[in-house]
Amino acid sequence: MDHLWVIFDMDGTLIDSMHYWRDIGREYLERKGVTGDHEELLERVQRMSMLESATCFKEEFDLPGTPRSIEAEMEDMIAGHYLTDIPLKPHAVEYLRMLREEDVWLCVATATPEPLARACLERLGVADCFAFILSCDDVNASKERPDIFLECAWRLAAEPEDIAVFEDAYYAARTAKAAGFYVVGVYDPDSDRHWKDMQRICDETILSWEELL
């Protein structure tokens, strides 16, 4: 890859956070003192939104509060992980610093709200690597649509074909590729079932950041 502009996804790409999202339901129930084997339910809620999961927990376990208040509690819990213990993926910092030394312009395009993403990257000591951090909230669209990638391109003052996008999620990589970007697929265990699809559609794929050093 030889590009002067790069867009990085954050969760599952730069930071090792996806299993925190996967386990947030289990963590919440444990905090509420809900015991027993609920693996089938926990597997089911992984495919739900946070509010849908909260509604399910409310109905299943007759928990106090409303689905909205339960959702807020779970959001606070995941935010706590961003602020305290979610780590960078191995060798990500070395790769980011190497690109900056080569005067490559970097930015972040993430589904995580911008203030939380910024706080996490500042804690991890890499926020200064990026010209800006853009959230899907800022463009009112998920990565099922190209809005966030095109807004990044506009801010970088570059054309999509001249920009590399690093993504771990197949649907987001597919969106970026269809919009004309050069796409590098980044392996994450939580996206393993789509890895062959990633290898098929991406311009490059990597199993770890160490491969690029």
Side-chain angles (χ1 to χ4, degrees):
M1 190 202 74
D2 184 20
H3 290 76
L4 295 178
W5 299 274
V6 179
I7 299 171
F8 287 95
D9 171 56
M10 188 177 77
D11 293 278
T13 299
L14 287 176
I15 65 174
D16 192 8
S17 57
M18 298 312 295
H19 63 95
Y20 288 87
W21 287 97
R22 184 182 70 239
D23 295 338
I24 192 64
R26 185 192 314 278
E27 184 181 350
Y28 178 78
L29 293 180
E30 288 176 354
R31 288 196 183 188
K32 292 299 178 180
V34 176
T35 58
D37 182 4
H38 306 294
E39 291 303 316
E40 182 180 346
L41 174 65
L42 291 169
E43 178 69 25
R44 187 156 30 102
V45 300
Q46 285 181 28
R47 299 186 292 273
M48 299 179 184
S49 70
M50 191 83 78
L51 181 58
E52 289 170 335
S53 299
T55 301
C56 183
F57 291 157
K58 170 70 177 176
E59 294 173 351
E60 185 75 18
F61 303 109
D62 193 26
L63 297 173
T66 65
R68 285 289 184 189
S69 67
I70 293 171
E71 177 193 30
E73 285 185 72
M74 289 196 290
E75 286 177 343
D76 286 343
M77 288 169 57
I78 201 72
H81 288 302
Y82 279 89
L83 297 173
T84 59
D85 57 359
I86 288 177
L88 281 168
K89 285 197 165 183
H91 303 289
V93 63
E94 292 97 322
Y95 186 61
L96 293 173
R97 297 295 181 194
M98 183 181 76
L99 291 181
R100 288 303 300 127
E101 288 173 3
E102 296 174 356
D103 292 326
V104 178
W105 283 83
L106 316 178
C107 71
V108 170
T110 178
T112 299
E114 190 274 345
L116 190 56
R118 182 174 298 280
C120 180
L121 294 174
E122 286 177 348
R123 174 179 64 81
L124 294 169
V126 294
D128 63 311
C129 292
F130 305 105
F132 57 86
I133 299 168
L134 193 66
S135 169
C136 289
D137 293 344
D138 299 320
V139 296
N140 296 312
S142 76
K143 289 182 180 179
E144 294 281 1
R145 290 168 43 183
D147 304 47
I148 191 168
F149 299 116
L150 295 174
E151 177 65 19
C152 285
W154 183 82
R155 294 190 184 195
L156 293 170
E159 295 299 319
E161 59 265 27
D162 297 323
I163 302 172
V165 173
F166 284 85
E167 274 285 355
D168 71 297
Y170 171 63
Y171 78 95
R174 182 182 58 199
T175 299
K177 183 64 179 173
F181 293 83
Y182 184 95
V183 181
V184 183
V186 181
Y187 179 78
D188 186 81
D190 277 75
S191 301
D192 182 74
R193 66 188 181 280
H194 293 303
W195 186 239
K196 288 185 178 179
D197 293 323
M198 289 286 276
Q199 291 175 309
R200 176 174 53 83
I201 69 162
C202 292
D203 298 285
E204 291 182 44
T205 56
I206 60 170
L207 295 173
S208 72
W209 292 109
E210 189 175 15
E211 292 180 33
L212 300 179
L213 297 176

